[in-house]
Amino acid sequence: QTVVTQEPSFSVSPGGTVTLTCGLNSGSVSTSYYPSWYQQTPGQAPRTLIYRTNIRSSGVPDRFSGSILGNKAALTITGAQADDESDYYCALYMGRGTWAFGGGAKLTVL
Amino acid sequence: EVQLVDSGGGLVQPGGSLRLSCAASGFTFSNDYMSWVRQAPGKGLEWVANIKVDGSEKSYEDSVKGRFTISRDNAKNSLYLQMNSLRDEDTAVYYCATSSGYRFGYWGRGTLVTVSS
């Protein structure tokens, strides 16, 4: 069974840079999986940040960027701000209209 | 302004059925793939089902195959999820979302389904 992996928690200082990654339990993540990233604060619906690996969704600040790093998809936040403190989820398109989400990563800004 | 309004959640006993709806506005609904994504209390996001623009192709997460049916009515700008044989583990907030372009672009606010005796 395919499992999408994310480190469960991160912390970053205000103004700092942090990179969250999204991998597969077997195999490498490539652009062919069309990785996307979502931000969610408690009690709210997710918000789309990045899609097709590195395209920022409308209105998303340019401090958020997406890439492939090695065998994983990555979300980098450069110049973190207090309101970036959220849960972050990656999603991979697995083909034939199916998707898989990672388990999520909780980012603390302190 | 794009709006997705999910509704139809509630409390249901194990083995019961429920039909969720999602009313879309502010975009051309008939041009967009649509999905349902759920989130169990305190847990992460889980993709549930996806439907093509014209309803001709549907896909499901393994644990809901044979129990859930996704459908749409483009004339009514509406998406549906018929959920049968509900289990405790189906308890979650269910979100409808657009899923064109290999992304979940727009999201509803979610509707809570609680399966409990």
Side-chain angles (χ1 to χ4, degrees):
Chain A
Q1 183 183 354
T2 300
V3 176
V4 179
T5 60
Q6 292 185 249
E7 298 91 338
S9 62
F10 288 86
S11 62
V12 63
S13 300
T17 296
V18 63
T19 297
L20 285 61
T21 62
C22 176
L24 286 169
N25 62 333
S26 57
S28 299
V29 176
S30 67
T31 56
S32 299
Y33 285 93
Y34 301 96
S36 52
W37 292 90
Y38 305 87
Q39 179 190 49
Q40 187 182 36
T41 53
Q44 299 297 312
R47 169 198 182 196
T48 310
L49 294 176
I50 300 286
Y51 62 99
R52 294 198 184 202
T53 305
N54 58 10
I55 301 175
R56 269 187 299 277
S57 194
S58 177
V60 173
D62 60 7
R63 65 177 183 274
F64 292 92
S65 62
S67 63
I68 298 291
L69 287 180
N71 62 350
K72 296 182 179 183
L75 173 71
T76 299
I77 307 172
T78 304
Q81 299 182 1
D83 60 2
D84 295 336
E85 190 162 289
S86 301
D87 294 325
Y88 292 86
Y89 295 91
C90 67
L92 301 179
Y93 180 70
M94 307 306 290
R96 298 185 180 183
T98 67
W99 300 78
F101 280 94
K106 184 177 183 62
L107 179 67
T108 302
V109 180
L110 46 69
Chain B
E1 178 194 4
V2 171
Q3 278 203 320
L4 295 171
V5 180
D6 321 272
S7 62
L11 175 63
V12 61
Q13 292 188 337
S17 298
L18 212 55
R19 188 195 196 207
L20 306 183
S21 298
C22 172
S25 61
F27 66 105
T28 306
F29 178 75
S30 57
N31 287 351
D32 264 285
Y33 283 68
M34 296 295 296
S35 275
W36 289 97
V37 175
R38 68 184 178 183
Q39 186 170 35
K43 302 296 185 183
L45 300 173
E46 181 182 40
W47 169 78
V48 173
N50 191 67
I51 187 168
K52 196 176 176 181
V53 293
D54 59 358
S56 62
E57 294 179 15
K58 306 173 184 182
S59 51
Y60 299 93
E61 191 271 329
D62 283 348
S63 71
V64 309
K65 280 181 184 175
R67 300 189 299 123
F68 290 11
T69 302
I70 188 172
S71 63
R72 64 191 297 161
D73 185 337
N74 287 342
K76 294 183 177 180
N77 289 339
S78 293
L79 177 72
Y80 306 102
L81 186 67
Q82 178 67 43
M83 304 186 294
N84 299 331
S85 303
L86 283 161
R87 307 167 179 167
D88 291 350
E89 56 265 34
D90 295 318
T91 293
V93 173
Y94 285 73
Y95 298 99
C96 68
T98 62
S99 52
S100 295
Y102 302 103
R103 59 173 160 159
F104 301 104
Y106 296 100
W107 297 73
R109 300 185 71 172
T111 186
L112 176 62
V113 172
T114 303
V115 184
S116 175
S117 53

